[in-house]
Amino acid sequence: MAKPIKVILVAGARPNFMKVAPLLHGIARHNQQAVNGTARIIPFLVHTGQHYDEKMSAVFFAELGIPAPDVNLEVGSGSHAVQTANIMTRFEPICEREKPDWVLVVGDVNSTMACTLVASKMRIKVAHVEAGLRSFDREMPEEINRLVTDSLADLLLTPSEDGNENLQREGVPLSRIRLVGNIMIDSLLANLEKASQSTVLSRLKVEKRRFIYVTLHRPSNVDSKESLVSIMRAFAEISRKMPVVFPMHPRTRARLAEFGIDVGKSNINIIEPVGYHDSLALTRHSRCVVTDSGGLQEESTFFRTPCLTLRPNTERPITMIVGSNRLIKVGELLERLDAVLAGSETLGQVPPLWDGKTSGRIIEALVNYGTEGQSISNVGENKAAMPAGRTTSSVPTLQR
Ligand code: UD1
């Protein structure tokens, strides 16, 4: 019997939960099927507590069937340095006690970087899921987290070829890179049925294709009064033509109060953050998504819902090249939405390897790591592995 592989999986903030869920389910399946000679995986789930509200955290555990974490570090909010330092000091003793073979981190939040730093210095191998994404904008705290995490991780698991190209440009050896596809789509496909049973549209009294779904929380959009006032003005204007559904992140809600912005008289429907199934239903059935979230750029691409991203750049260019995403400035919002309402939007296609099988490829990469004959794929190999001319996913495209 091969020696089991102990893996600490780290999740800290809302966008992490839909990335660890399919990995935990995949590990359970792998262990059931593991025959003599194949190593079993012992998972150990660490929640750093970066997000802690019921609506930012617990609801995702319940909806995604994630088991209770083995440890919750309960770090809570704070400045970047405070939050990062707290995660590090509380994570180190867990690594000392558990002695894992791997620490697996996902995405680009402070928890991702903090746990990578700890594990790396303890010479525990680190695997990074969603490696290689770059916005090339160091104003984004997530870009710093991505750069640090990828420069230290031992196994860089990329969602798309642009990730491989970015890493190679930075001098990362091919032997550390593996193109595995988009883990977010594993969760999306596994939850499609439940999302289709969501009652969110009737609860909000909106009809399919007759509302706009908005989420905004990036400091660059919401932390300046001038920017937030312009954004809310534009949505107030739009809401006269079509209902606007805006589940509000706690950061955005706090800034509205702090800046004394009153949206009481507009038709913007500001609600509490929604759970995963409701968010998928809103993304699938809205006329258009307006967002600054990375995950929503991907989910709207999958559903072929037009997406307007209020950012000057994206670390997910495939959502623009293949998918339905377009970057816009606040000043262009009204004009762009009018174009969408007039039907001149791009619906795009589903990119390659957005097929629901990414967790299986990640588990395979972990189990085979360092074994003789292992083939770590590279850009060329992955291109070769894809049928000629195929630039989109093998998953059937959902009808709009
Ligand atoms: C973090 C991530 C960001 C991700 C986002 C998703 C970093 C650097 N940023 O940003 O990449 O897109 O999560 O939501 O890691 N708060 C609550 N309850 C919570 C969590 C936060 O009320 O459960 C409040 C806190 O008062 C805090 C503010 O929201 O000040 C922002 O939270 P924080 O975790 O610092 O960053 P996010 O903006 O959520």
Side-chain angles (χ1 to χ4, degrees):
M1 199 70 176
K3 185 176 167 288
I5 303 166
K6 182 155 189 178
V7 181
I8 292 186
L9 295 100
V10 177
R14 184 169 62 176
N16 292 163
F17 305 133
M18 52 294 264
K19 293 169 193 161
V20 295
L23 287 167
L24 288 162
H25 299 319
I27 288 171
R29 276 195 305 275
H30 166 84
N31 287 343
Q32 269 171 8
Q33 291 159 8
V35 285
N36 275 352
T38 312
R40 290 165 57 84
I41 297 178
I42 305 170
F44 186 94
L45 180 60
V46 172
H47 188 336
T48 64
Q50 179 175 344
H51 283 174
Y52 42 86
D53 281 358
E54 158 74 27
K55 293 191 168 73
M56 298 296 285
S57 173
V59 65
F60 292 90
F61 276 72
E63 290 191 358
L64 292 161
I66 307 175
D70 295 285
V71 168
N72 190 327
L73 305 179
E74 294 179 353
V75 296
S77 303
S79 70
H80 285 276
V82 166
Q83 196 172 57
T84 305
N86 280 338
I87 297 168
M88 289 180 71
T89 47
R90 294 179 197 189
F91 186 60
E92 189 179 50
I94 305 297
C95 289
E96 265 161 10
R97 190 184 76 203
E98 297 300 324
K99 301 192 178 15
D101 299 294
W102 286 92
V103 167
L104 183 146
V105 295
V106 298
D108 55 17
V109 302
N110 287 342
S111 305
T112 313
M113 180 189 70
C115 294
T116 298
L117 267 169
V118 170
S120 245
K121 290 207 169 181
M122 296 177 80
R123 305 309 302 130
I124 300 166
K125 291 192 290 291
V126 175
H128 181 207
V129 175
E130 218 179 73
L133 299 188
R134 297 289 180 269
S135 65
F136 304 101
D137 176 3
R138 293 194 186 188
E139 295 299 317
M140 281 183 87
E142 293 81 359
E143 183 73 354
I144 314 275
N145 293 342
R146 293 180 199 117
L147 287 164
V148 173
T149 303
D150 284 345
S151 68
L152 295 175
D154 299 271
L155 186 54
L156 297 155
L157 301 155
T158 57
S160 45
E161 275 197 25
D162 51 285
N164 291 43
E165 285 158 17
N166 291 334
L167 292 170
Q168 283 186 275
R169 206 180 308 113
E170 289 168 17
V172 177
L174 267 179
S175 58
R176 280 168 55 201
I177 308 171
R178 183 152 181 138
L179 177 59
V180 290
N182 191 337
I183 192 75
M184 293 283 284
I185 307 304
D186 285 31
S187 262
L188 188 156
L189 286 169
N191 285 274
L192 209 46
E193 184 57 39
K194 285 188 178 141
S196 70
Q197 288 158 18
S198 158
T199 56
V200 69
L201 268 61
S202 59
R203 291 197 320 269
L204 294 172
K205 300 188 176 52
V206 289
E207 290 165 33
K208 283 184 185 175
R209 309 271 167 275
R210 295 283 307 147
F211 68 95
I212 292 155
Y213 177 31
V214 178
T215 80
L216 291 172
H217 70 279
R218 299 254 164 234
S220 54
N221 280 324
V222 307
D223 279 5
S224 113
K225 181 171 180 179
E226 199 193 337
S227 160
L228 194 53
V229 165
S230 324
I231 289 172
M232 297 313 288
R233 268 203 198 121
F235 286 131
E237 178 80 27
I238 292 155
S239 71
R240 288 197 214 140
K241 299 183 192 174
M242 193 171 265
V244 171
V245 173
F246 191 166
M248 198 167 273
H249 187 283
R251 170 192 285 275
T252 312
R253 198 177 276 279
R255 295 299 175 266
L256 275 188
E258 187 184 323
F259 301 145
I261 302 173
D262 179 16
V263 283
K265 289 187 206 79
S266 78
N267 294 322
I268 309 172
N269 193 359
I270 297 178
I271 55 174
E272 289 290 310
V274 291
Y276 184 60
H277 296 144
D278 285 353
S279 183
L280 287 184
L282 290 169
T283 307
R284 182 172 190 180
H285 297 306
S286 63
R287 186 77 186 83
C288 178
V289 168
V290 181
T291 192
D292 58 12
S293 143
L296 270 176
Q297 292 173 52
E298 297 179 330
E299 288 158 351
S300 55
T301 282
F302 185 86
F303 287 125
R304 300 172 69 241
T305 299
C307 179
L308 301 177
T309 296
L310 264 176
R311 280 179 46 188
N313 47 55
T314 178
E315 60 289 336
R316 293 162 163 90
I318 196 143
T319 60
M320 298 179 66
I321 298 163
V322 179
S324 61
N325 189 21
R326 181 194 281 268
L327 300 179
I328 58 157
K329 298 192 181 85
V330 184
E332 298 169 324
L333 194 49
L334 290 175
E335 186 194 327
R336 286 291 167 211
L337 271 168
D338 276 339
V340 171
L341 299 189
S344 59
E345 77 279 20
T346 326
L347 296 182
Q349 297 296 321
V350 180
L353 298 179
W354 291 32
D355 58 2
K357 295 177 184 160
T358 293
S359 67
R361 289 187 282 265
I362 291 171
I363 290 164
E364 202 185 309
L366 285 174
V367 170
N368 292 339
Y369 184 86
T371 57
E372 233 180 39
Q374 177 204 12
S375 117
I376 296 264
S377 58
N378 59 33
V379 178
E381 282 169 8
N382 277 305
K383 267 192 184 137
M386 219 166 281
R390 196 179 108 202
T391 55
T392 56
S393 173
S394 54
V395 171
T397 305
L398 297 170
Q399 287 303 312
R400 283 257 332 138

